[in-house]
Amino acid sequence: MFNGILIDKDDSGYHVKLASIDESQLPAGDVTVRVSHSTLNYKDALAITGKGPIVRQFPMVPGVDLAGIVEDSSDPDFKSGDAVVLNGWGVGEGHWGGLAQVARVQGKWLIPLNAAFTPAQAMAIGTAGYTAMLAVMALEKNGVTPDKGDVLVTGANGGVGSFSIALLAKLGYRVVASTGRASEAEYLKQLGAAEIIDRATLSEPGRPLAKERWAGAIDSVGSHTLANVCASTRYWGTVAACGLAQGMDFPASVAPFILRGVTLAGIDSVMRPRQDRIDAWTRLATDLDPKALALISHEIGLSEVVATAHRLMDGQVRGRVVVDTGR
């Protein structure tokens, strides 16, 4: 038996609880992991609160991230005792995820835990930090270097936003952070933001083409915000889009792309090939200041997950939530 967050649905409604689960209930997979740490992402909060159609089958253990030690494996790439990390691949949605003390998964979804990080540190980074690193790498690939000008980060107080600021600042970029929480300005400056702007300046319908303001951007908001970000990007700039906090719609025109040569780079972290994942985690080991983790993350136990998920959906949680499955 092991403890985990279990979501179920029946004729009486949607149910979420911390449950004692028998290992015989684990789904199919070729690697069994003793999970020491997981995280609580926005997607997990949607699943736990039932406010988004995240869970595709029931019952379900949520959790798109996990870190732990391999207990048993029939995958030749992993053996008992190996430290591993998993981000994405649909776990917590269509396959039981990391918010439990044990997980059974496909070996092809795992990568070795980078030696630079403890399991808790890896989960402080989690999908958010890994996604932010992929976004920074996309900007670099498209020639957005520190000398080209400012880089905007939207959704700055969230996990992806926080890591984006920390990574970009350490790499020498001047970062402009967009937030709806003015009270968090000092936190964003501690991460490395040089300028703070109100998200309201980007979140309403805007012009197809606006004044050039930044050489690149990392956007986790979508909708009108993403449209306005693209409209304000300089000639030959790149916008890395990786979220939809404001919405899935994109009410924009082609003007920024055909008149200024702007690139819109989509960042998918869920189905990324293994080598891309290893490359991103290798970069995180060198490009992320470890001191940022203490600013960006805090830790809770499994027993606190459900209540924290509701607070996250109400916009009351800053940065990253690490879950210690042992408490």
Side-chain angles (χ1 to χ4, degrees):
M1 304 293 289
F2 63 92
N3 292 328
I5 304 298
L6 196 64
I7 302 173
D8 210 348
K9 185 179 182 181
D10 56 27
D11 292 341
S12 63
Y14 198 86
H15 312 285
V16 185
K17 63 180 180 180
L18 175 61
S20 182
I21 305 169
D22 193 294
E23 287 203 24
S24 65
Q25 294 177 257
L26 286 168
D30 51 14
V31 181
T32 302
V33 179
R34 175 63 59 173
V35 180
S36 65
H37 294 82
S38 184
T39 67
L40 183 65
N41 292 285
Y42 182 71
K43 184 180 284 187
D44 303 322
L46 284 172
I48 290 167
T49 60
K51 292 184 178 180
I54 301 300
V55 179
R56 298 198 295 270
Q57 63 184 51
F58 298 91
M60 177 59 60
V61 172
V64 304
D65 291 321
L66 66 85
I69 302 296
V70 172
E71 282 194 335
D72 182 67
S73 173
S74 58
D75 184 312
D77 290 334
F78 298 99
K79 64 182 185 304
S80 178
D82 285 348
V84 293
V85 169
L86 189 154
N87 307 112
W89 290 115
V91 300
E93 302 173 66
H95 187 98
W96 282 20
L99 284 169
Q101 294 172 322
V102 180
R104 183 169 293 140
V105 299
Q106 299 296 326
K108 64 183 180 181
W109 300 340
L110 298 168
I111 62 169
L113 173 66
N114 190 292
F117 303 116
T118 66
Q121 289 174 323
M123 290 296 94
I125 296 168
T127 286
Y130 149 64
T131 301
M133 190 72 251
L134 291 173
V136 171
M137 291 164 70
L139 296 185
E140 293 175 338
K141 181 179 179 181
N142 284 291
V144 180
T145 50
D147 61 295
K148 296 293 177 63
D150 293 353
V151 173
L152 172 73
V153 175
T154 67
N157 283 301
V160 174
S162 296
F163 277 106
S164 296
I165 294 168
L167 287 165
L168 289 164
K170 189 170 186 293
L171 289 167
Y173 293 85
R174 184 180 187 275
V175 183
V176 178
S178 168
T179 181
R181 288 184 263 174
S183 60
E184 300 286 6
E186 185 56 36
Y187 161 70
L188 298 175
K189 289 178 180 178
Q190 285 181 288
L191 289 176
E195 182 182 346
I196 315 296
I197 63 173
D198 190 328
R199 71 181 180 197
T201 63
L202 296 169
S203 61
E204 298 299 323
R207 299 170 59 187
L209 207 60
K211 180 181 177 181
E212 296 175 73
R213 298 179 67 181
W214 28 75
I218 297 176
D219 175 68
S220 58
V221 179
S223 192
H224 289 291
T225 297
L226 177 56
N228 288 321
V229 168
C230 291
S232 300
T233 299
R234 296 180 180 178
Y235 273 88
W236 307 295
T238 294
V239 177
C242 57
L244 42 74
Q246 186 180 4
M248 289 184 66
D249 59 323
F250 183 44
S253 78
V254 297
F257 312 115
I258 64 174
L259 297 180
R260 287 186 182 159
V262 170
T263 296
L264 180 57
I267 307 299
D268 168 55
S269 62
V270 176
M271 305 300 289
R272 207 76 176 208
R274 177 181 283 183
Q275 191 57 54
D276 287 1
R277 296 165 182 269
I278 293 173
D279 291 347
W281 279 95
T282 299
R283 285 288 304 273
L284 284 161
T286 59
D287 296 343
L288 179 66
D289 186 345
K291 295 177 183 177
L293 292 178
L295 283 173
I296 293 172
S297 67
H298 69 280
E299 191 173 285
I300 64 173
L302 270 178
S303 61
E304 302 167 83
V305 164
V306 175
T308 306
H310 284 275
R311 290 180 51 239
L312 194 157
M313 292 305 301
D314 290 337
Q316 298 173 0
V317 175
R318 171 212 283 177
R320 298 281 299 145
V321 181
V322 179
V323 180
D324 180 349
T325 65
R327 63 181 180 89

